[in-house]
């Protein structure tokens, strides 16, 4: 990996899981973003979608954070992220919402897209197209393994 940070797009489903369980595995990924161990790629579409989803009644009931606090977290993260504007020109997926996430990854020259979306992960043509663009689709667990294994281990005094 060298000294350059991995550029990563985190799909909405992972963000929402992190906000529902702020001490769970998805929240570890958000911590890596906040610690600047990875470089987050965001887009106008992705930020708006996260803000929309956290305000849905069924999600609101499960959240451990207030939506206003989530807005603050997103705002804070924006300053250390790569921000791209999407225009809907990328149309390679059946779901236009997925196209917007994929466009974020391609335009932001992401190394990886972290998603739990099986429609993306199981579409061989889509995966090949993303690979041609230099974007890998990776599980949350695998990205955490890769990033955390390269982080320095804190030294302890004898």
């Amino acid at each position: 990996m060298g000294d350059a940070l991995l550029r990563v797009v985190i799909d909405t489903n992972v963000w929402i899981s992190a906000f529902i369980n702020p001490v769970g595995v998805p929240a570890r990924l958000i911590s890596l973003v906040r610690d600047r161990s990875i470089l987050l790629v965001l887009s106008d579409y992705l930020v708006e979608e996260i803000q929309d989803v956290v305000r849905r009644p069924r999600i609101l009931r499960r959240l451990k954070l207030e939506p206003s606090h989530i807005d603050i977290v997103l705002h804070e993260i924006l300053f250390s992220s790569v921000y791209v504007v999407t225009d809907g020109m990328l149309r390679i997926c059946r779901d236009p919402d997925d196209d917007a996430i994929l466009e974020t990854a391609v335009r932001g020259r992401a190394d990886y897209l972290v998603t739990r979306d099986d429609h993306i992960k199981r579409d061989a043509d889509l995966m090949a197209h993303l690979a041609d663009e230099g974007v890998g689709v990776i599980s949350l667990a695998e990205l955490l393994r890769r990033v955390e294994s390269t982080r320095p281990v804190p030294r302890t005094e004898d």
Side-chain angles (χ1 to χ4, degrees):
M1 178 168 83
D3 292 333
L5 294 178
L6 288 177
R7 295 168 73 102
V8 178
V9 171
I10 302 172
D11 200 352
T12 305
N13 51 43
V14 178
W15 282 98
I16 299 306
S17 294
F19 293 141
I20 288 173
N21 182 4
V23 295
V25 174
R28 283 177 37 208
L29 183 57
I30 306 307
S31 292
L32 291 174
V33 171
R34 293 177 100 175
D35 295 345
R36 297 187 175 152
S37 296
I38 60 175
L39 183 58
L40 182 65
V41 178
L42 283 173
S43 66
D44 48 346
Y45 173 83
L46 189 53
V47 171
E48 289 169 14
E49 184 178 55
I50 293 165
Q51 290 172 324
D52 173 60
V53 172
V54 298
R55 285 168 172 76
R56 293 179 184 168
R58 68 182 179 83
I59 300 297
L60 275 171
R61 286 190 294 273
R62 299 178 62 203
L63 286 176
K64 302 293 187 252
L65 302 170
E66 290 295 320
S68 59
H69 183 72
I70 292 169
D71 290 342
I72 291 167
V73 170
L74 290 172
H75 185 72
E76 172 188 305
I77 288 173
L78 277 174
F79 289 106
S80 62
S81 302
V82 173
Y83 190 82
V84 297
V85 176
T86 56
D87 60 14
M89 295 305 291
L90 184 69
R91 294 190 180 127
I92 57 174
C93 195
R94 292 179 299 236
D95 184 344
D97 290 337
D98 289 342
D99 276 336
I101 299 297
L102 301 177
E103 185 179 356
T104 301
V106 171
R107 286 189 179 232
R109 298 182 329 275
D111 296 302
Y112 294 110
L113 165 62
V114 179
T115 185
R116 293 179 165 169
D117 190 330
D118 288 334
H119 291 108
I120 293 173
K121 294 189 299 186
R122 294 188 180 149
D123 186 327
D125 292 336
L126 183 61
M127 298 286 280
H129 180 86
L130 290 173
D132 289 345
E133 296 285 348
V135 178
V137 177
I138 193 170
S139 71
L140 172 61
E142 180 58 26
L143 184 69
L144 287 172
R145 262 193 303 281
R146 289 181 187 196
V147 173
E148 291 175 345
S149 70
T150 62
R151 294 175 85 189
V153 177
R155 296 177 68 171
T156 57
E157 296 297 318
D158 291 330

